[in-house]
Amino acid sequence: MLALRLARGTHPLVLLRRLLVTAAAAGTGFLVLAALGHAAAHPATAGDSLARLLWCAAPLAATAQLAVSVARTDPAARLQRGMAAAGLGPFRLTLLAATSTALFCALGVLLSLVVFLALRSDLGTAASGTGSRAIDSGLLGAGHRLPWIGALMLISVIPLTAAVATAFSLRPRTEAGAIDTDTPSTTEAPSGLPWGVALAAAGLAIEAYTSPAAGTAGGLLPLSGRLIGSPPGVLAGWALAAIGLVLAGPGLVYLSGQLLCAGRPGALRLLSGRVLQEESHRLGRPLGVLCAVASGVYAAGVLHQAAPSRPLGPFTAIGAAIVLACVTVSALSSALESRAARARSTATLRRLGASAFVLHRATALRATALVLVLGPLTWTVAEMATLPLVH
């Protein structure tokens, strides 16, 4: 009940971010239900149905990451003055944030269930347009009995996963007997950069070793309708390269700050570089995930152009759009969280005479440094991932 009351009184921008979580959960729920409907309509093709269900893991992970990012920037999840006296300590605030996340995700999966049943004409309404074409192609399993217990269990995984991820991310951390709910700012270099580079290199090596030769039959085109027929080694190589980018994200952001501070930096470069170094732990992982997804989208586009005879499946396109939207919003939410964490420092700089123009230039300089460091690396990983598959 408290979570519902807080949702009613939230700022419109905060409510908009929560509605984005609801939309992501709705899209993921629709993909899960579509995979279940396909399995009910085609019991003989269990491998194809399993591949469709496994493809839903990527949108599910992206939805959980978006839910965590939105919960971290939610003002209701922060320990404010007077809340402890009212019985809302750090543990209960974490439980409140997880409950709010579960409620918004549950709303999304319920909407997806209604839309899915309407497109299947299970609600007594006749589908038309795009929905009728999907039903004619048998993608939703129209006319076949849907296992309701299995459907409810599968879609309940979405709010449960998001709630557990939110509770784990916002859990109170204890240091020397004191409870600290915020990640402390630090200028120490993250330790994941060497491991991330090693994993990315190992993934690209595995993919190059296991990829089919150019011009041979049965070439790989992942993310183009189905995952059936893709060599497991290639998929494992892509996964390792993506994990490597995520692990290297904080180190790359820290490296961007070091490059800004190199040489004899002026006040603007020094300020921008120090901010990137302090915020590398907070910004690194979301930016690493964004780079990994962007690399995968670029590689998939190159492979699709190399074999245009295989059209992009509708549910693959929906899943890719959900993943790309979620990781983009998550990166933006992390930037907002970083800005909120620097509110006191920004206010101090303004009192010392720093103009708003100077602060905006520092922000633009940080963004430029991140693009110059992360952009070429993302393009390089994508090109190296597609090189053994199209040549």
Side-chain angles (χ1 to χ4, degrees):
M1 186 60 68
L2 179 59
L4 293 176
R5 288 182 178 273
L6 290 175
R8 289 177 55 189
T10 52
H11 192 272
L13 290 179
V14 178
L15 186 59
L16 176 61
R17 291 197 293 265
R18 292 179 176 178
L19 291 179
L20 291 177
V21 175
T22 301
T28 305
F30 183 80
L31 290 177
V32 171
L33 292 172
L36 184 62
H38 181 272
H42 306 84
T45 58
D48 192 3
S49 301
L50 179 60
R52 291 170 181 265
L53 188 60
L54 290 178
W55 165 236
C56 299
L60 176 61
T63 301
Q65 185 203 12
L66 176 61
V68 170
S69 300
V70 171
R72 290 181 64 90
T73 57
D74 195 341
R78 299 172 187 168
L79 186 61
Q80 300 177 4
R81 186 177 302 175
M83 284 188 173
L88 288 177
F91 293 98
R92 291 195 176 184
L93 282 178
T94 301
L95 181 61
L96 178 64
T99 303
S100 300
T101 299
L103 287 176
F104 279 93
C105 290
L107 176 61
V109 296
L110 288 178
L111 290 176
S112 67
L113 180 61
V114 172
V115 173
F116 178 75
L117 294 178
L119 291 178
R120 282 170 47 98
S121 301
D122 290 343
L123 299 179
T125 58
S128 59
T130 305
S132 63
R133 289 193 296 269
I135 292 176
D136 292 339
S137 60
L139 295 178
L140 301 181
H144 297 80
R145 182 178 176 274
L146 188 69
W148 287 102
I149 301 298
L152 294 178
M153 290 181 61
L154 285 177
I155 62 176
S156 65
V157 171
I158 300 173
L160 181 61
T161 302
V164 170
T166 300
F168 181 79
S169 177
L170 300 182
R171 70 191 186 281
R173 296 171 176 85
T174 57
E175 283 189 24
I179 295 179
D180 183 16
T181 57
D182 294 328
T183 302
S185 298
T186 178
T187 56
E188 295 181 358
S191 59
L193 182 58
W195 293 103
V197 173
L199 277 180
L204 294 175
I206 292 175
E207 180 191 357
Y209 181 76
T210 58
S211 61
T216 58
L220 171 66
L221 187 58
L223 304 182
S224 182
R226 298 182 301 175
L227 295 178
I228 300 299
S230 300
V234 174
L235 299 179
W238 274 36
L240 281 179
I243 294 174
L245 283 176
V246 175
L247 290 179
L252 293 173
V253 175
Y254 189 88
L255 178 61
S256 302
Q258 281 186 321
L259 292 178
L260 285 177
C261 296
R264 293 185 176 181
L268 188 62
R269 284 175 53 196
L270 185 61
L271 174 63
S272 302
R274 289 299 183 184
V275 169
L276 283 181
Q277 289 177 351
E278 289 185 359
E279 299 297 328
S280 59
H281 295 272
R282 182 180 285 112
L283 294 175
R285 292 296 170 83
L287 289 179
V289 173
L290 180 61
C291 291
V293 172
S295 175
V297 170
Y298 177 83
V302 171
L303 293 176
H304 181 68
Q305 292 179 357
S309 59
R310 295 185 61 182
L312 189 68
F315 296 129
T316 300
I318 294 175
I322 292 174
V323 172
L324 188 59
C326 286
V327 298
T328 303
V329 176
S330 298
L332 294 177
S333 298
S334 299
L336 292 177
E337 182 187 2
S338 175
R339 180 183 179 183
R342 300 194 314 271
R344 290 184 179 181
S345 301
T346 303
T348 302
L349 290 174
R350 294 299 300 271
R351 287 195 301 267
L352 292 176
S355 63
F357 178 71
V358 172
L359 296 179
H360 291 324
R361 285 184 60 190
T363 302
L365 187 59
R366 291 194 298 270
T368 303
L370 290 176
V371 171
L372 291 178
V373 172
L374 298 178
L377 178 63
T378 302
W379 177 82
T380 301
V381 172
E383 282 291 332
M384 292 183 65
T386 57
L387 188 63
L389 302 176
V390 296
H391 297 288

